[in-house]
Amino acid sequence: MSERARSERKLAWMLCAPAVIAMLLVTAYPIIYAVVLSVQALDLRFPDEGGFVGIDNYVTVLTSPLWWQTVGNTVFITVVSVSIELVLGMIIALIMHRAIFGRGLVRTSVLIPYGIVTVVAAFAWFYAFDPETGFVNALPFVAEDMAWFGDRFSALSVIIAAEVWKTTPFMALLLLAGLTTIDEGLYEAAKMDGANAVQRFFRITLPLMKPAILVALLFRTLDAFRVFDSIFVMTAGSQGTESVSILGYNQLISRLNLGLGSAVSVLIFVLVLLIALAFVKGFGTSVPGREEEE
């Protein structure tokens, strides 16, 4: 590493240190306490029973078909919703970036769904698709007796649609920040060389936006993997739509099993950590300056 790179890294650590210390003070104790609870047989319905059980809670969770079903549901919702949000977010970001007039109004209008509280948005989608109160079944191409939340696939479709509608503006905002860093002179030079719009997008826009795309995908993937509000409001996990967060909630709050619930929470934390590491390792070279440091 050069002297400049070392000094920049030192400055980065100094700037991040206060936030890191504050986060550790706030999160370290709950994480450690959850790990301690996860190795105990602690069920509030039977307070006189319990004790240290080691990894038995983890074995119970990992050998349960319900756990793997919820993991599958969560991965499915995450992959589908984030993929759609990336495509739509890129289109919206390009529109906002290239808007000739009314740019402020366009950006404000696009960001309205993201400003709505997630629970409120989930209720809006629930009532829209409910056969008794919703307007969706009144549309000409939809069956009048369609029970959207009575089938696993249709329920997951509505949940994914609600997630996409709510968080695509967030994806678009992050991608728009990446677009603003690209020098317009590169596009002018490419036009002079005869490159069309598609070639300019794939040869200039996408390569230079890799850091912004990494950040957008990382934030949204971690957020989508912890999906809770939409599922809780629409189905409460019924019809096989339970996610890992709903499973942890049911164990901790509904069934008052702190041991198993804490084990589920720790496993969710580990999965989220692995996802973050996979993104950083897989796309780390897209971060500016990484090539010089290595």
Side-chain angles (χ1 to χ4, degrees), residues 17-39:
V20 172
I21 293 173
M23 291 178 61
L24 289 176
L25 291 176
V26 173
T27 61
Y29 174 75
I31 293 175
I32 295 174
Y33 191 52
V35 174
V36 172
L37 291 177
S38 68
V39 295

Side-chain angles (χ1 to χ4, degrees), residues 81-195:
S81 62
V82 173
S83 299
I84 297 174
E85 289 167 17
L86 178 61
V87 176
L88 295 180
M90 180 65 74
I91 295 173
I92 295 173
L94 290 171
I95 293 174
M96 291 191 295
H97 184 61
R98 297 296 180 183
I100 300 176
F101 58 89
R103 180 174 297 183
L105 179 61
V106 171
R107 295 182 179 181
T108 303
S109 302
V110 168
L111 293 175
I112 288 176
Y114 187 67
I116 300 176
V117 179
T118 305
V119 174
V120 176
F123 270 112
W125 279 80
F126 172 78
Y127 288 125
F129 282 84
D130 185 77
E132 297 181 0
T133 61
F135 64 89
V136 175
N137 283 8
L139 298 176
F141 53 85
V142 180
E144 294 183 1
D145 58 347
M146 177 66 179
W148 292 93
F149 302 108
D151 176 72
R152 179 171 179 265
F153 180 77
S154 60
L156 287 176
S157 299
V158 177
I159 291 170
I160 291 173
E163 286 289 305
V164 170
W165 178 83
K166 174 71 171 64
T167 53
T168 294
F170 175 72
M171 181 78 76
L173 185 63
L174 294 179
L175 296 177
L176 178 62
L179 283 173
T180 57
T181 63
I182 301 177
D183 186 4
E184 292 293 331
L186 296 174
Y187 294 108
E188 297 299 329
K191 289 181 182 179
M192 294 292 293
D193 291 337

Side-chain angles (χ1 to χ4, degrees), residues 131-276:
E132 297 181 0
T133 61
F135 64 89
V136 175
N137 283 8
L139 298 176
F141 53 85
V142 180
E144 294 183 1
D145 58 347
M146 177 66 179
W148 292 93
F149 302 108
D151 176 72
R152 179 171 179 265
F153 180 77
S154 60
L156 287 176
S157 299
V158 177
I159 291 170
I160 291 173
E163 286 289 305
V164 170
W165 178 83
K166 174 71 171 64
T167 53
T168 294
F170 175 72
M171 181 78 76
L173 185 63
L174 294 179
L175 296 177
L176 178 62
L179 283 173
T180 57
T181 63
I182 301 177
D183 186 4
E184 292 293 331
L186 296 174
Y187 294 108
E188 297 299 329
K191 289 181 182 179
M192 294 292 293
D193 291 337
N196 56 37
V198 176
Q199 291 173 328
R200 294 195 299 270
F201 178 76
F202 285 101
R203 298 295 180 88
I204 298 176
T205 304
L206 280 185
L208 295 180
M209 283 189 62
K210 283 183 179 180
I213 293 174
L214 166 64
V215 173
L217 285 177
L218 178 60
F219 282 3
R220 268 305 299 145
T221 302
L222 296 181
D223 187 42
F225 193 82
R226 296 177 289 106
V227 58
F228 177 85
D229 309 65
S230 299
I231 299 177
F232 185 80
V233 169
M234 296 184 193
T235 65
S238 62
Q239 306 299 334
T241 60
E242 206 171 26
S243 66
V244 289
S245 296
I246 295 291
L247 177 63
Y249 170 85
N250 288 335
Q251 291 294 334
L252 284 169
I253 307 300
S254 301
R255 302 185 180 97
L256 300 177
N257 194 326
L258 302 187
L260 282 177
S262 298
V264 172
S265 301
V266 172
L267 289 173
I268 295 174
F269 174 78
V270 172
L271 290 176
V272 170
L273 184 61
L274 291 176
I275 292 173

